[in-house]
């Protein structure tokens, strides 16, 4: 539906073409009221089109939208972030991360701490390393695992009630 901008009593409004105007027989205004009714003003100005400046809220909205688009990370960064969040979405991996938040551990120690098999812990550590949530330090034959980012502790710590 095509809309024409029209002047009303208090500013600008969208006036769809084809809207039936009030009947002339009903009268234009209340006899006790000296100001004309809105439908009288509309009838007087229905043919007057104009291009109005956008209201300030619209200008501000455009600026906010532009700023949001300019500050948005690229698609590959968002994909990497999504992969990290997927890695955090598993309770066993969260348990392991909480255990690693206290100290760095080897696979056997971590398996015992979280009551899982070494095989399962190794598999989950592989996922966490791929997501860059866990770092490894090699010392001879031993691999020591720790949180890659200490700030991760705030994100993974369960809420205290």
């Amino acid at each position: 539906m095509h809309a024409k901008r029209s002047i009303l009593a208090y500013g600008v409004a969208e006036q769809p073409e084809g809207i039936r105007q009030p009947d002339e027989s009903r009268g234009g205004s209340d006899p006790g009221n000296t100001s004309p009714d809105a439908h009288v003003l509309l009838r007087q100005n229905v043919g007057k089109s104009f291009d109005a400046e956008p209201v300030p809220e619209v200008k501000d909205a455009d600026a906010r939208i532009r700023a949001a688009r300019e500050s948005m990370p690229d698609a590959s960064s968002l994909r990497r972030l999504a992969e990290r969040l997927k890695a955090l979405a598993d309770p066993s991996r969260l348990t392991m991360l909480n255990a690693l938040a206290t100290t760095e551990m080897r696979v056997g120690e971590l398996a015992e701490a979280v009551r899982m098999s070494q095989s399962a812990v190794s598999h989950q550590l592989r996922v966490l390393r791929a997501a860059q949530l866990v770092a490894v330090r090699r010392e001879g034959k031993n691999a020591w695992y720790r949180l890659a980012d200490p700030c991760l502790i705030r994100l993974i710590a369960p809420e205290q009630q």
Side-chain angles (χ1 to χ4, degrees):
M1 174 183 336
H2 180 70
K4 187 187 299 181
R5 291 185 184 243
S6 302
I7 301 174
L8 290 180
Y10 297 104
V12 177
E14 294 292 324
Q15 175 64 36
E17 288 186 22
I19 288 192
R20 194 172 72 89
Q21 300 299 320
D23 256 349
E24 295 288 331
S25 61
R26 293 191 347 210
S29 62
D30 184 10
N33 189 357
T34 57
S35 66
D37 288 345
H39 71 274
V40 171
L41 288 172
L42 181 62
R43 196 173 331 118
Q44 292 170 351
N45 297 305
V46 83
K48 299 178 185 174
S49 314
F50 67 99
D51 290 329
E53 281 290 316
V55 278
E57 294 85 23
V58 174
K59 287 183 184 177
D60 292 344
D62 290 341
R64 287 190 301 268
I65 291 168
R66 192 175 326 102
R69 286 183 178 163
E70 289 170 359
S71 68
M72 213 174 286
D74 60 285
S76 63
S77 297
L78 291 174
R79 273 193 294 279
R80 283 192 306 270
L81 177 61
E83 290 301 319
R84 282 180 146 185
L85 292 174
K86 281 182 197 176
L88 289 172
D90 183 87
S92 63
R93 288 193 286 264
L94 284 174
T95 304
M96 292 169 53
L97 289 171
N98 274 288
L100 290 173
T102 59
T103 185
E104 84 180 341
M105 295 183 194
R106 296 178 293 183
V107 174
E109 297 167 343
L110 185 58
E112 194 172 324
V114 296
R115 294 185 174 99
M116 292 172 59
S117 70
Q118 282 191 7
S119 159
V121 168
S122 292
H123 173 73
Q124 299 299 344
L125 283 171
R126 195 173 317 123
V127 173
L128 292 170
R129 279 182 38 208
Q132 298 175 343
L133 297 171
V134 169
V136 64
R137 177 178 61 87
R138 301 220 178 258
E139 190 179 274
K141 291 184 178 182
N142 294 318
W144 293 87
Y145 292 91
R146 60 180 162 75
L147 292 183
D149 185 1
C151 294
L152 187 60
I153 295 170
R154 284 183 282 161
L155 181 64
I156 63 170
E159 291 181 38
Q160 300 298 321
Q161 292 181 7

